[in-house]
């Protein structure tokens, strides 16, 4: 039952059924499932703390980032926005805590990956039928066209994973999801979405290059979907894609904001302008004439978001905050690559396919974060938790048990971000 609450929270956070079926919105499903998850974590805390097979170094890295956010908060240029954004992070941490404590096996991975598959199916079909914009498709107020394109493309590795599923029903659902996702990406007219789609195609091929047959399968699958994609492309979409590197377009115009983000960071190098306060601080500094004029007039008068997660973290939390954030990303990526290398040594190609889905989704999300503000969304925490899941699978594997003994550390019963137990 607890896993059902957590999977429901994951589906609500990513699939947004309350935005697709608006009659669900008054039910406050996020608070219901989030509250049930949090209550379970608090009530079963001692039991959940026991038997954690590995020390998740990602947790300490997350803790350092959050601690710095708290330290820098009093220096925010808009404390209200900082507190509001921290509240959103806390909601995502409830999901992360549920996944971290309750999902530990490859069977659990299947539950999470299938929930992600149905989330993307909901978003894709929902966007097709109830897109908020007549020109560019979106879903509710949570996913604007670019955000929608980011989450859809980032989940493509999970769709590809389920296309290989032995369960024919899941395979058919994955195929429908893939086609609906391609159509939805076209309807968003997101240029970032197009670039990520190309990257997802390359990842599909590269992740299957270990054997000639796998490589050919990757090329074939990518080619088939490329044909479908070209059949879905509209003249308006092609025209928009052609403006990616055109001077004066939004793509090049974002560089104005990025340069100003660096200026904001240099003016507040230690604490930044406050977590979540970028738009307010940007608008205030713009109104005060603190930014130099640029060629495109609309960037001289309008408040803007950063359109880059890394520069957003830099401007909002200073250079220390960015350093801690990059250390977190490095830890997540390196641990995932270490797990993948271990499974490769064991010849466990089934597990490698699972890790490929998580790793590919993470890379797509991190690349997409160069164009959007998505540094701590629920999908990111989901991928981190899945990386830890495979660390646990490795830890309890018979192959690991037969390896030469090495010094190990266990987690003390306690908080999510606990230190190694001291020997007595």
């Amino acid at each position: 039952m607890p896993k059902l609450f957590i999977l429901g929270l994951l589906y609500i956070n990513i699939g947004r059924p309350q935005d697709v079926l608006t009659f669900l919105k008054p039910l406050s499903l996020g608070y219901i499932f989030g509250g049930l998850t949090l209550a379970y974590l608090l009530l079963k805390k001692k039991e959940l703390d026991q038997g954690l097979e590995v020390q998740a170094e990602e947790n300490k890295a997350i803790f350092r980032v959050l601690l710095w956010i708290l330290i820098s908060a009093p220096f925010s240029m808009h404390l209200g926005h900082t507190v509001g954004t921290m509240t959103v992070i806390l909601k995502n941490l409830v999901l992360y805590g549920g996944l971290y404590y309750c999902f530990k096996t490859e069977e659990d991975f299947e539950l999470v990956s299938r929930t992600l598959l149905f989330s993307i199916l909901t978003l894709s079909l929902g966007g097709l039928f109830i897109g908020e914009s007549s020109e560019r498709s979106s879903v509710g107020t949570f996913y604007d066209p670019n955000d929608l394109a980011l989450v859809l493309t980032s989940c493509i590795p999970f769709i590809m994973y389920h296309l290989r599923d032995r369960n024919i029903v899941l395979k058919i659902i994955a195929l429908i999801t893939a086609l609906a996702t391609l159509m939805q990406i076209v309807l968003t007219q997101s240029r970032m979405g197009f670039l990520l789609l190309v990257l997802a195609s390359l990842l599909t091929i590269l992740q299957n290059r270990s054997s000639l047959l796998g490589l050919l399968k990757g090329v074939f699958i990518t080619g088939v979907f490329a044909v479908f994609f070209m059949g879905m492309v509209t003249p308006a979409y092609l025209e928009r894609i052609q403006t990616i590197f055109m001077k004066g377009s939004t793509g090049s115009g974002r560089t104005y904001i990025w340069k100003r983000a660096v200026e904001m960071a240099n003016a507040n190098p230690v604490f930044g302008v406050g977590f979540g306060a970028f738009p307010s601080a940007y608008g205030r500094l713009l109104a005060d004439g603190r930014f130099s004029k640029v060629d495109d007039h609309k960037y001289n008068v309008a408040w803007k978001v950063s359109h880059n997660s890394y520069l957003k973290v830099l401007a909002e939390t200073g250079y220390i905050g960015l350093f801690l954030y990059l250390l977190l990303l490095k830890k997540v990526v390196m641990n995932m690559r270490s797990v993948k290398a271990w499974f490769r040594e064991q010849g466990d190609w089934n597990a490698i396919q699972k890790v490929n889905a998580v790793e590919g989704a993470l890379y797509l999300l991190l690349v997409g974060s160069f164009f959007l503000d998505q540094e701590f969304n629920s999908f990111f925490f989901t991928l981190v938790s899945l990386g830890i899941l495979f660390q646990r699978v490795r830890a309890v594997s018979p192959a690991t048990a037969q390896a030469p003994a090495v010094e190990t550390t266990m987690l003390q019963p306690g908080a999510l971000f606990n230190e190694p137990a001291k020997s007595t």
Side-chain angles (χ1 to χ4, degrees):
M1 187 63 71
K3 289 183 179 180
L4 184 61
F5 298 154
I6 299 164
L7 293 174
L9 182 59
L10 175 62
Y11 178 63
I12 289 163
N13 278 8
I14 297 179
R16 306 299 295 178
Q18 64 273 33
D19 286 331
V20 174
L21 303 173
T22 53
F23 67 85
L24 295 175
K25 191 175 288 291
L27 299 179
S28 300
L29 295 176
Y31 286 103
I32 293 174
F33 283 86
L36 290 171
T37 299
L38 180 60
Y40 177 77
L41 293 176
L42 294 175
L43 291 174
K44 299 292 185 178
K45 185 173 183 296
K46 291 184 179 180
E47 297 177 21
L48 295 171
D49 279 330
Q50 297 175 357
L52 296 179
E53 296 83 4
V54 298
Q55 177 187 358
E57 298 178 357
E58 293 90 337
N59 288 340
K60 292 188 290 185
I62 292 173
F63 176 72
R64 295 187 189 102
V65 174
L66 296 178
L67 180 61
W68 182 252
I69 288 173
L70 288 174
I71 292 173
S72 61
F75 303 92
S76 173
M77 294 181 66
H78 198 302
L79 189 57
H81 285 175
T82 296
V83 173
T85 307
M86 290 170 64
T87 302
V88 174
I89 298 300
L90 289 177
K91 294 178 182 178
N92 291 336
L93 285 175
V94 170
L95 172 63
Y96 177 67
L99 292 170
Y100 173 80
Y101 277 115
C102 300
F103 292 79
K104 304 177 182 180
T105 66
E106 289 193 59
E107 290 74 19
D108 289 335
F109 168 83
E110 296 294 346
L111 293 175
V112 175
S113 64
R114 290 172 187 178
T115 302
L116 289 173
L117 180 67
F118 282 101
S119 297
I120 297 307
L121 180 61
T122 301
L123 281 178
S124 298
L125 295 180
L128 292 176
F129 292 108
I130 56 98
E132 294 291 331
S133 170
S134 59
E135 295 183 358
R136 300 182 63 196
S137 182
S138 62
V139 174
T141 58
F142 190 81
Y143 289 125
D144 72 7
N146 288 322
D147 291 328
L148 180 57
L150 176 62
V151 71
L152 290 176
T153 51
S154 296
C155 283
I156 285 177
F158 286 98
I159 299 175
M160 302 304 292
Y161 170 75
H162 283 291
L163 283 173
R164 303 183 182 94
D165 203 298
R166 294 181 180 179
N167 186 316
I168 188 63
V169 175
L170 282 174
K171 190 186 292 285
I172 293 173
I173 292 174
L175 179 60
I176 295 172
T177 304
L179 296 177
T181 296
L182 289 177
M183 187 178 298
Q184 186 60 256
I185 292 173
V186 171
L187 292 177
T188 64
Q189 296 189 27
S190 171
R191 291 166 289 196
M192 173 215 63
F194 173 77
L195 295 175
L196 290 184
L197 195 58
V198 174
L199 179 58
S201 301
L202 294 175
L203 282 174
T204 300
I205 295 173
L206 293 175
Q207 287 183 334
N208 290 278
R209 70 184 189 280
S210 56
S211 67
L212 178 59
L213 180 60
L215 180 62
L216 292 176
K217 283 183 178 180
V219 172
F220 176 75
I221 293 173
T222 302
V224 169
F225 283 112
V227 172
F228 278 108
F229 177 75
M230 293 305 299
M232 298 173 184
V233 166
T234 63
Y237 181 72
L238 282 177
E239 183 178 351
R240 185 170 173 82
I241 295 304
Q242 291 171 359
T243 67
I244 289 179
F245 302 107
M246 187 180 298
K247 186 175 181 180
S249 68
T250 304
S252 61
R254 283 178 177 171
T255 58
Y256 299 143
I257 305 174
W258 295 345
K259 291 176 182 178
R260 289 172 172 177
V262 175
E263 291 179 28
M264 293 166 65
N266 290 338
N268 304 273
V270 180
F271 300 109
V273 299
F275 186 63
F278 185 96
S280 177
Y282 183 96
R284 185 183 304 178
L285 295 173
L286 183 64
D288 292 341
R290 299 281 294 276
F291 296 134
S292 57
K293 300 290 184 180
V294 297
D295 296 335
D296 195 332
H297 180 65
K298 65 176 177 286
Y299 292 95
N300 295 324
V301 295
W303 292 25
K304 297 291 181 181
V305 295
S306 65
H307 291 292
N308 185 301
S309 295
Y310 308 99
L311 292 178
K312 180 176 182 288
V313 172
L314 172 63
E316 291 184 346
T317 61
Y319 284 92
I320 295 176
L322 177 62
F323 176 73
L324 295 175
Y325 179 63
L326 294 178
L327 281 182
L328 165 62
L329 298 184
K330 178 183 177 182
K331 180 61 63 178
V332 173
V333 171
M334 295 304 294
N335 284 351
M336 198 169 295
R337 291 183 62 83
S338 174
V339 168
K340 183 177 176 179
W342 186 87
F343 282 121
R344 184 179 291 111
E345 290 177 1
Q346 305 305 314
D348 190 343
W349 303 110
N350 185 44
I352 288 176
Q353 293 295 335
K354 295 179 173 66
V355 178
N356 276 343
V358 182
E359 185 184 39
L362 178 64
Y363 291 158
L364 290 168
L365 181 64
L366 295 182
V367 172
S369 294
F370 276 98
F371 306 98
L372 290 178
D373 308 343
Q374 295 290 339
E375 66 277 12
F376 290 118
N377 61 16
S378 55
F379 188 49
F380 170 74
F381 283 112
T382 300
L383 296 177
V384 174
S385 70
L386 289 177
I388 295 172
L389 181 151
F390 284 108
Q391 293 176 41
R392 289 168 169 165
V393 171
R394 176 178 62 178
V396 300
S397 168
T400 302
Q402 295 170 6
V406 295
E407 183 180 356
T408 59
T409 58
M410 294 297 292
L411 291 177
Q412 291 180 346
L416 176 62
F417 308 105
N418 33 18
E419 298 294 334
K422 297 179 180 179
S423 59
T424 57

